[in-house]
Amino acid sequence: MALGRGKLIGVIGDEDTCVGFLLGGIGELNKNRQPNFLVVDKSTSVSDIEDCLKNFIKRDDIDIILINQNIAEMVRHVLDAHTLPVPAILEIPSKDSPYDPNKDSILRRAKGMFSAEDLK
Amino acid sequence: MAPFPNKDSDEVLDKSAIDEELSDLAVDLLLLSQELINTKLKLETLSKAGWMEMAKARYIMGPSSVSVLQLPTQESEKPVCASATLDVSQCQRNSGSVRYNYYSLCPPSSPSEEQTSGSDGIRLRKFDINVLSEDGAAGSKVEKVAAAAAGGSSAGRSSVNDPIRWFGFMPPMPLRQSQNHFKSAVDTVVEIANIQSEIRGVEDRIKFLNRTKKGKMESKVEGSISTQDLEEEKVLSLEPLNIH
């Protein structure tokens, strides 16, 4: 059963991550001229990142959001509060910081499924 | 008084079926988690290769030639459309017990009215006046050529929408190679999204089974308490009365 066609992949990352994935063909400006990407640099505040992530989550044309893991750490509370299946938020490595499975929200949630009480 | 044997065996069967399914789902969850990590490491490898080629392109073209300055902004006049878009559908396994979303990349869009042939950018007109003046067989030949060109241009992305054009009309080879790496990275991103979605489906099923199991145990405890009360009443009623 098709739920949606022509949905976008959003990206919140450093310059090289955004340039790279936009080269890959995911970049778009919607009818309101809003981009589906945010380039995070030293001058970008945590509130800007938070607002952008929440905006991407609210948009109905974005089904996957890519976010560098080191940037995800800054807005971890927003990621942990997002429990809906769509959009899927993927933590991806950046040029400066490699992927750490211990920090991944999805894997931490999966690890939390095995609690002592459930195994009784 | 002996308990109802059928009811107990049905309850035991349900519990054992739930426990068995929970064990299977736990193994699935572990395998999917490992697959997720492996796929993310693959994404890291592809991204690193892409960044390396991007750095080479920067060395050739200049640092500001491959940067955020070339990316489209809200003030851009030209329309910017993504060539990599998603198709979302619902998927299920284990007889429908585990449900999750399945992502796939949409096929390349159909060619626009301006049909271009291959890389030379020559426009193919749909109707050739000279040919139309001749017999119908020649006209069909033009249609076949137009259809072949349409097939050729739809196989690749339109040069007008190619994001590599943002960085100049003759991008160097390292930039093209970087683009190829990131196109593969986009495919890997879709794989990761599917694994993540499946993990979520399995987690939801585990939560449902745990709630069901807990509910059954609570109802069993309540049932055993009420049975105990009945037995106590019977014992009390059977005790002899010492009147004297």
Side-chain angles (χ1 to χ4, degrees), chain B residues 116-122 152-153 157 159 165 176:
Chain B
T116 56
S117 64
S119 57
D120 53 6
I122 298 171
S153 62
R157 291 170 186 173
S159 59
R165 296 288 174 211
R176 288 194 184 278

Side-chain angles (χ1 to χ4, degrees), chain B residues 10-192:
Chain B
D10 283 346
E11 279 184 5
V12 165
L13 192 64
D14 281 341
K15 263 187 70 180
S16 68
I18 289 173
D19 287 338
E20 197 179 331
E21 193 177 346
L22 277 171
S23 305
D24 291 341
L25 289 172
V27 171
D28 283 347
L29 195 58
L30 286 168
L31 291 173
L32 285 168
S33 300
Q34 186 58 51
E35 205 181 328
L36 181 71
I37 292 171
N38 292 344
T39 317
K40 285 203 174 180
L41 291 173
K42 181 182 159 191
L43 174 68
E44 190 174 27
T45 307
L46 285 167
S47 301
K48 277 183 179 170
W51 289 322
M52 186 64 76
E53 297 297 330
M54 198 188 293
K56 287 180 190 173
R58 260 192 203 125
Y59 183 75
I60 294 168
M61 297 168 73
S64 57
S65 300
V66 184
S67 70
V68 70
L69 298 170
Q70 278 71 43
L71 298 183
T73 58
Q74 288 178 320
E75 289 79 33
S76 303
E77 290 177 355
K78 292 180 187 176
V80 179
C81 294
S83 52
T85 53
L86 298 168
D87 183 13
V88 186
S89 55
Q90 207 166 53
C91 196
Q92 59 188 27
R93 64 180 180 93
N94 294 2
S95 315
S97 59
V98 176
R99 291 183 184 189
Y100 52 96
N101 291 331
Y102 183 78
Y103 300 93
S104 56
L105 284 170
C106 287
S109 56
S110 57
S112 57
E113 288 182 0
E114 282 187 356
Q115 295 175 6
T116 56
S117 64
S119 57
D120 53 6
I122 298 171
R123 281 191 202 174
L124 246 180
R125 298 174 71 180
K126 282 185 181 178
F127 300 104
D128 190 339
I129 296 165
N130 293 332
V131 175
L132 279 174
S133 63
E134 295 170 12
D135 59 355
S140 64
K141 193 176 169 185
V142 170
E143 286 173 7
K144 279 181 192 170
V145 169
S153 62
S154 67
R157 291 170 186 173
S158 165
S159 59
V160 176
N161 284 332
D162 195 350
I164 207 166
R165 296 288 174 211
W166 302 336
F167 302 92
F169 286 104
M170 291 189 62
M173 188 53 71
L175 195 63
R176 288 194 184 278
Q177 285 173 350
S178 177
Q179 187 179 41
N180 289 337
H181 285 304
F182 278 105
K183 281 181 185 174
S184 304
V186 170
D187 293 336
T188 310
V189 156
V190 174
E191 271 181 57
I192 292 171

Side-chain angles (χ1 to χ4, degrees), chain A:
Chain A
M1 183 177 78
L3 297 178
R5 287 191 66 91
K7 301 293 184 175
L8 300 175
I9 301 172
V11 59
I12 298 174
D14 57 22
E15 181 179 355
D16 283 358
T17 302
C18 288
V19 169
F21 279 101
L22 262 69
L23 263 177
I26 67 166
E28 180 160 309
L29 295 177
N30 67 1
K31 55 185 178 182
N32 298 324
R33 312 299 292 170
Q34 289 172 328
N36 63 331
F37 58 92
L38 173 71
V39 180
V40 175
D41 54 23
K42 291 174 191 173
S43 61
T44 312
S45 65
V46 176
S47 58
D48 286 343
I49 300 169
E50 231 179 87
D51 291 342
C52 180
L53 181 57
K54 287 177 181 171
N55 184 34
F56 282 3
I57 289 171
K58 271 188 207 166
R59 279 173 64 165
D60 57 359
D61 59 343
I62 294 179
D63 269 7
I64 294 178
I65 300 172
L66 305 177
I67 183 166
N68 284 139
Q69 198 169 46
N70 55 340
I71 297 171
E73 280 295 302
M74 292 192 256
V75 290
R76 184 60 66 194
H77 55 287
V78 179
L79 264 77
D80 289 341
H82 174 68
T83 53
L84 296 172
V86 173
I89 302 180
L90 275 57
E91 294 180 33
I92 60 172
S94 68
K95 204 171 69 168
D96 301 324
S97 59
Y99 174 64
D100 185 357
N102 293 321
K103 293 180 186 173
D104 197 323
S105 287
I106 302 297
L107 292 173
R108 289 210 297 215
R109 198 176 293 165
K111 206 171 158 184
M113 297 298 298
F114 302 106
S115 66
E117 281 195 13
D118 293 335
L119 294 171
K120 280 181 187 170

